[in-house]
Amino acid sequence: MNWTAIWLTFKLASLTAGILLVVGLPIAYWLTFSKWRWKFIVESVVALPLVLPPTVLGFYILVAIGPHSPVGRLYTDMVGHPLPFTFEGLLLASVLYSLPFAVQPFAAAFDQVDRRLIEASWTLGVSNVVTFFKLIVPLSLAGLLTGVVLSFAHTLGEFGVVLMVGGNIEGETRTISIDIYDEVQALNYAGAAETALLLLAVSYGVLLLVYAMNRKVWAVWPQK
Amino acid sequence: MAAEMIIDMTKTFAGRTPIQARIRYAVEASTVLILFGPSGSGKTTVLRSVAGLEWPEDGIIQFLSRTWLNTRSGVRVSPQDRQIGYMPQDYALFPTYSVAGNIGYGLGALPSHDRSKRIAEVVELFQLQGFETAKPRELSGGQQQRVALARAIAPRPQLLLLDEPLSALDAPTRFQLRAELRTLLKQLALPSIIVTHDWAEALTLGDVMAVMGEGQVHQVGKPHEVFSRPADADVARIVGVETVVQGRVIENANGLATVAVNGVKLKGLSSDAIGTAVYVCIRAEDVVVEQAGSGMTSARNHLMGRVSEIAPQGVMVQVTIDCGFPLTATITRGAMEDLCLVPGASVIAAIKAGAVHLVPRSAG
């Protein structure tokens, strides 16, 4: 088994889930509580990675961070090397690709928090930010955990985006799924089977955890 | 400038009658305003606007010298900055916090020592000792109500806002807590606004009362005056109790109390002790008008009097009888004709003891 690829993939998935926890919370909060009438535009943008082919998403990210874009130039000037085909570039792409897997469970959990509790908190003189951490987060724990775990699991298995943005560089951007693909290309089915089984076991374990933890907040199936 | 509360607001919810409230009254240390009305009358919206949880599209809300809302000059004070205690109808206790955690929730600005001290103080005031670590769902309805009230007053608010504070409780608990709440409000010397649709609560707790119906404020005045002298037919219909007079319990035998009202004795159901000052409340449809000199009936109260006023109300007629105090009866037009009722006629008003409602009032 390619332990370098496995280690890299878990590092990528953990960092992605961690970043999404930080970035996803304010987005989900805003999506849940904003009364802006055009909010659905942002909601649709966040959900886009759910339906877009990973190659399309990867292509746009590649162009956006490439040496010809302002963002890419700025990054190159600051860090000294371009963003595409590096671990950092891959991480950025993963965060965007898994955004709905974090934001949607977060928002669903926030939505289930009784508005009257939040209002009660406000009348007790507690600011919006403190209300968020003292009241909303403890009441949404299951949903937050679901979002983190799902974005972790989703990143484990990504393929198209990795190939587009990261390429296939050993120790830098070669993830488990790319490694499996390489093994199959090389007709090494036994090696592919081992790695595939590992990925299957981990993904199933992670989903088991989510479903066992909470069946109410968010599910792949429609809510009953 | 006198210390007063000014509410002058318009709030529209899509597809509903706009809520237009104009209430202005003098505020002393413990003045209680009752927002009275049926459900859907807009009373909760007014309370929520005072709390800063609804934003009227137009208007002014001013408490003492502080302006909380002025749409014309763009003043919008957030609920956090109003220093209020607010208790919603279902209490909205924080399920993840214990009783002590709920009470201490709004005390985050205090140093930890002062915070614990204040929690202990409030726990004692509300007799919640022993429940500090319990979660809200482990408590009875009455205890939850006390925790919600304790949480609201713990940060020492300037104004207390209670939305139907007793309506979620069963009748015996409600009756007991009504009296306790009155004592507590006076003890705290904290001005408050209470939303209710229960006239006994309005009479027991209120100093000022605003009657609301269909988004409008119909009358503002002292509760017993509003009940006994409604400004118009709408108010009379909303409050639903036409006769409210002051009396005193002079006898009590197994729950059947005798009350003296201007020297007239009335029997009503009450467990109040002898000497208790009460409001005697009688609905006009519970009063039977008989010709003077007719026979015995099962009604415990037979009051001799003279008709002082006759006011037609559709197919019904509202007859005011002076029987030592003004008593209002609603009878049909046909009954009025059969009894040959004219102003000045002598009649007997019969009322069953169960229809004579006695609501304790404070001596003050």
Side-chain angles (χ1 to χ4, degrees), chain A residues 190-222:
Chain A
E194 262 185 9
T195 317
L197 188 63
L198 177 78
L199 202 54
L200 174 68
V202 171
S203 303
Y204 184 60
V206 155
L207 287 179
L208 272 184
L209 181 70
V210 170
Y211 280 83
M213 213 165 50
N214 194 324
R215 304 159 64 86
K216 273 178 287 181
V217 174
W218 192 84
V220 177
W221 314 119

Short mmCIF file of all heavy atoms in Angstrom, two decimals, chain A residues 190-222:
data_model
loop_
_atom_site.label_atom_id
_atom_site.label_comp_id
_atom_site.label_asym_id
_atom_site.label_seq_id
_atom_site.Cartn_x
_atom_site.Cartn_y
_atom_site.Cartn_z
N ALA A 190 -4.33 -6.16 -7.42
CA ALA A 190 -4.23 -6.52 -6.00
C ALA A 190 -3.93 -5.28 -5.17
O ALA A 190 -4.56 -5.04 -4.14
CB ALA A 190 -3.11 -7.56 -5.82
N GLY A 191 -3.00 -4.45 -5.63
CA GLY A 191 -2.65 -3.22 -4.91
C GLY A 191 -3.84 -2.29 -4.86
O GLY A 191 -4.16 -1.71 -3.81
N ALA A 192 -4.54 -2.17 -5.98
CA ALA A 192 -5.71 -1.29 -6.03
C ALA A 192 -6.78 -1.78 -5.06
O ALA A 192 -7.39 -0.99 -4.34
CB ALA A 192 -6.26 -1.25 -7.46
N ALA A 193 -6.97 -3.11 -5.02
CA ALA A 193 -8.02 -3.68 -4.17
C ALA A 193 -7.74 -3.37 -2.70
O ALA A 193 -8.64 -3.00 -1.95
CB ALA A 193 -8.11 -5.19 -4.38
N GLU A 194 -6.49 -3.49 -2.30
CA GLU A 194 -6.12 -3.21 -0.90
C GLU A 194 -6.48 -1.78 -0.53
O GLU A 194 -7.14 -1.53 0.47
CB GLU A 194 -4.61 -3.39 -0.74
CG GLU A 194 -4.19 -4.72 -0.19
CD GLU A 194 -2.69 -4.78 0.06
OE1 GLU A 194 -2.02 -3.71 -0.04
OE2 GLU A 194 -2.19 -5.86 0.34
N THR A 195 -6.02 -0.86 -1.35
CA THR A 195 -6.24 0.55 -1.05
C THR A 195 -7.74 0.89 -1.12
O THR A 195 -8.26 1.64 -0.29
CB THR A 195 -5.46 1.43 -2.05
OG1 THR A 195 -4.16 0.87 -2.22
CG2 THR A 195 -5.34 2.84 -1.54
N ALA A 196 -8.41 0.33 -2.11
CA ALA A 196 -9.84 0.60 -2.27
C ALA A 196 -10.61 0.11 -1.05
O ALA A 196 -11.51 0.80 -0.55
CB ALA A 196 -10.37 -0.09 -3.53
N LEU A 197 -10.22 -1.07 -0.55
CA LEU A 197 -10.90 -1.63 0.61
C LEU A 197 -10.70 -0.70 1.82
O LEU A 197 -11.63 -0.45 2.59
CB LEU A 197 -10.36 -3.03 0.91
CG LEU A 197 -11.13 -3.80 1.99
CD1 LEU A 197 -12.56 -4.06 1.53
CD2 LEU A 197 -10.42 -5.12 2.31
N LEU A 198 -9.49 -0.19 1.95
CA LEU A 198 -9.22 0.72 3.06
C LEU A 198 -10.13 1.94 2.98
O LEU A 198 -10.75 2.35 3.97
CB LEU A 198 -7.75 1.15 3.04
CG LEU A 198 -7.38 2.16 4.13
CD1 LEU A 198 -7.20 1.47 5.48
CD2 LEU A 198 -6.12 2.94 3.77
N LEU A 199 -10.22 2.50 1.79
CA LEU A 199 -11.04 3.70 1.60
C LEU A 199 -12.52 3.39 1.88
O LEU A 199 -13.22 4.16 2.53
CB LEU A 199 -10.87 4.21 0.17
CG LEU A 199 -11.22 5.67 -0.07
CD1 LEU A 199 -10.46 6.58 0.87
CD2 LEU A 199 -10.93 6.05 -1.52
N LEU A 200 -12.96 2.23 1.40
CA LEU A 200 -14.34 1.81 1.63
C LEU A 200 -14.62 1.68 3.13
O LEU A 200 -15.61 2.20 3.64
CB LEU A 200 -14.61 0.47 0.92
CG LEU A 200 -15.98 -0.15 1.18
CD1 LEU A 200 -17.08 0.70 0.54
CD2 LEU A 200 -16.04 -1.58 0.65
N ALA A 201 -13.69 1.02 3.83
CA ALA A 201 -13.88 0.79 5.27
C ALA A 201 -13.93 2.12 6.02
O ALA A 201 -14.81 2.34 6.86
CB ALA A 201 -12.75 -0.09 5.80
N VAL A 202 -12.99 3.01 5.68
CA VAL A 202 -12.95 4.29 6.39
C VAL A 202 -14.22 5.10 6.11
O VAL A 202 -14.85 5.64 7.01
CB VAL A 202 -11.68 5.09 6.00
CG1 VAL A 202 -11.77 6.51 6.56
CG2 VAL A 202 -10.44 4.40 6.52
N SER A 203 -14.61 5.16 4.84
CA SER A 203 -15.79 5.95 4.48
C SER A 203 -17.03 5.40 5.17
O SER A 203 -17.85 6.15 5.71
CB SER A 203 -16.01 5.92 2.96
OG SER A 203 -14.86 6.40 2.33
N TYR A 204 -17.15 4.05 5.15
CA TYR A 204 -18.33 3.45 5.77
C TYR A 204 -18.32 3.71 7.27
O TYR A 204 -19.35 4.07 7.86
CB TYR A 204 -18.36 1.95 5.49
CG TYR A 204 -19.59 1.27 6.02
CD1 TYR A 204 -20.84 1.66 5.58
CD2 TYR A 204 -19.50 0.27 6.99
CE1 TYR A 204 -21.98 1.06 6.07
CE2 TYR A 204 -20.64 -0.34 7.48
CZ TYR A 204 -21.88 0.05 7.02
OH TYR A 204 -23.00 -0.54 7.52
N GLY A 205 -17.15 3.60 7.89
CA GLY A 205 -17.04 3.85 9.33
C GLY A 205 -17.45 5.26 9.68
O GLY A 205 -18.17 5.51 10.65
N VAL A 206 -17.01 6.20 8.85
CA VAL A 206 -17.31 7.60 9.11
C VAL A 206 -18.81 7.88 8.99
O VAL A 206 -19.41 8.55 9.81
CB VAL A 206 -16.49 8.47 8.12
CG1 VAL A 206 -17.14 9.80 7.90
CG2 VAL A 206 -15.07 8.64 8.62
N LEU A 207 -19.44 7.27 7.96
CA LEU A 207 -20.88 7.46 7.80
C LEU A 207 -21.65 6.79 8.93
O LEU A 207 -22.64 7.33 9.42
CB LEU A 207 -21.34 6.92 6.44
CG LEU A 207 -20.92 7.79 5.25
CD1 LEU A 207 -21.38 7.18 3.96
CD2 LEU A 207 -21.46 9.21 5.39
N LEU A 208 -21.18 5.61 9.35
CA LEU A 208 -21.80 4.95 10.49
C LEU A 208 -21.82 5.88 11.69
O LEU A 208 -22.82 6.02 12.37
CB LEU A 208 -21.00 3.69 10.86
CG LEU A 208 -21.35 2.38 10.18
CD1 LEU A 208 -20.50 1.26 10.76
CD2 LEU A 208 -22.83 2.05 10.37
N LEU A 209 -20.68 6.53 11.89
CA LEU A 209 -20.54 7.45 13.01
C LEU A 209 -21.58 8.57 12.91
O LEU A 209 -22.29 8.87 13.87
CB LEU A 209 -19.12 8.03 13.00
CG LEU A 209 -18.78 9.01 14.12
CD1 LEU A 209 -18.68 8.27 15.44
CD2 LEU A 209 -17.46 9.72 13.83
N VAL A 210 -21.70 9.14 11.71
CA VAL A 210 -22.64 10.25 11.51
C VAL A 210 -24.07 9.81 11.79
O VAL A 210 -24.82 10.46 12.51
CB VAL A 210 -22.53 10.80 10.08
CG1 VAL A 210 -23.67 11.77 9.80
CG2 VAL A 210 -21.20 11.48 9.88
N TYR A 211 -24.45 8.67 11.22
CA TYR A 211 -25.84 8.24 11.35
C TYR A 211 -26.17 7.82 12.76
O TYR A 211 -27.26 8.08 13.27
CB TYR A 211 -26.14 7.11 10.37
CG TYR A 211 -26.40 7.64 8.99
CD1 TYR A 211 -25.36 7.93 8.12
CD2 TYR A 211 -27.70 7.88 8.56
CE1 TYR A 211 -25.60 8.44 6.87
CE2 TYR A 211 -27.95 8.40 7.31
CZ TYR A 211 -26.89 8.67 6.46
OH TYR A 211 -27.14 9.19 5.23
N ALA A 212 -25.19 7.15 13.41
CA ALA A 212 -25.43 6.72 14.78
C ALA A 212 -25.57 7.93 15.69
O ALA A 212 -26.38 7.96 16.60
CB ALA A 212 -24.28 5.83 15.24
N MET A 213 -24.75 8.94 15.40
CA MET A 213 -24.69 10.14 16.24
C MET A 213 -26.00 10.90 16.19
O MET A 213 -26.53 11.34 17.19
CB MET A 213 -23.60 11.02 15.68
CG MET A 213 -22.86 11.83 16.66
SD MET A 213 -21.39 12.39 15.78
CE MET A 213 -22.07 13.06 14.28
N ASN A 214 -26.49 11.09 15.01
CA ASN A 214 -27.68 11.90 14.89
C ASN A 214 -28.40 11.60 13.60
O ASN A 214 -27.86 11.72 12.52
CB ASN A 214 -27.29 13.38 14.91
CG ASN A 214 -28.50 14.24 15.13
OD1 ASN A 214 -29.58 13.92 14.65
ND2 ASN A 214 -28.32 15.29 15.88
N ARG A 215 -29.61 11.19 13.71
CA ARG A 215 -30.38 10.87 12.52
C ARG A 215 -31.33 12.00 12.16
O ARG A 215 -32.01 11.95 11.16
CB ARG A 215 -31.18 9.60 12.75
CG ARG A 215 -30.29 8.44 13.16
CD ARG A 215 -31.09 7.39 13.88
NE ARG A 215 -32.08 6.80 12.98
CZ ARG A 215 -31.82 5.78 12.17
NH1 ARG A 215 -30.65 5.25 12.17
NH2 ARG A 215 -32.76 5.29 11.39
N LYS A 216 -31.39 13.01 13.01
CA LYS A 216 -32.39 14.06 12.80
C LYS A 216 -31.86 15.26 12.01
O LYS A 216 -32.56 15.82 11.19
CB LYS A 216 -32.91 14.57 14.15
CG LYS A 216 -34.06 13.78 14.69
CD LYS A 216 -34.48 14.31 16.05
CE LYS A 216 -33.46 13.96 17.11
NZ LYS A 216 -33.81 14.42 18.43
N VAL A 217 -30.61 15.64 12.28
CA VAL A 217 -30.16 16.93 11.78
C VAL A 217 -29.97 16.97 10.28
O VAL A 217 -30.42 17.87 9.61
CB VAL A 217 -28.86 17.34 12.49
CG1 VAL A 217 -28.30 18.60 11.89
CG2 VAL A 217 -29.15 17.57 13.96
N TRP A 218 -29.28 15.97 9.74
CA TRP A 218 -29.01 16.01 8.31
C TRP A 218 -28.83 14.60 7.84
O TRP A 218 -28.30 13.74 8.51
CB TRP A 218 -27.74 16.81 8.05
CG TRP A 218 -27.55 17.14 6.61
CD1 TRP A 218 -28.11 18.19 5.95
CD2 TRP A 218 -26.77 16.43 5.67
NE1 TRP A 218 -27.73 18.17 4.65
CE2 TRP A 218 -26.90 17.12 4.44
CE3 TRP A 218 -25.98 15.30 5.71
CZ2 TRP A 218 -26.27 16.70 3.28
CZ3 TRP A 218 -25.35 14.87 4.56
CH2 TRP A 218 -25.48 15.57 3.35
N ALA A 219 -29.31 14.31 6.66
CA ALA A 219 -29.14 12.97 6.14
C ALA A 219 -29.08 13.05 4.63
O ALA A 219 -29.55 14.00 4.02
CB ALA A 219 -30.32 12.10 6.57
N VAL A 220 -28.48 12.05 4.02
CA VAL A 220 -28.46 11.97 2.56
C VAL A 220 -29.87 11.72 2.07
O VAL A 220 -30.30 12.24 1.05
CB VAL A 220 -27.51 10.83 2.10
CG1 VAL A 220 -27.54 10.69 0.60
CG2 VAL A 220 -26.10 11.13 2.58
N TRP A 221 -30.62 10.94 2.85
CA TRP A 221 -32.02 10.67 2.50
C TRP A 221 -32.89 11.85 2.91
O TRP A 221 -32.55 12.59 3.81
CB TRP A 221 -32.51 9.41 3.20
CG TRP A 221 -31.55 8.28 3.10
CD1 TRP A 221 -30.95 7.65 4.14
CD2 TRP A 221 -31.06 7.66 1.92
NE1 TRP A 221 -30.11 6.67 3.69
CE2 TRP A 221 -30.16 6.64 2.32
CE3 TRP A 221 -31.29 7.84 0.56
CZ2 TRP A 221 -29.50 5.84 1.41
CZ3 TRP A 221 -30.63 7.04 -0.35
CH2 TRP A 221 -29.75 6.04 0.07
N PRO A 222 -34.04 11.98 2.24
CA PRO A 222 -34.96 13.05 2.65
C PRO A 222 -35.39 12.85 4.10
O PRO A 222 -35.51 11.72 4.56
CB PRO A 222 -36.17 12.87 1.72
CG PRO A 222 -35.71 12.00 0.62
CD PRO A 222 -34.56 11.20 1.12
#
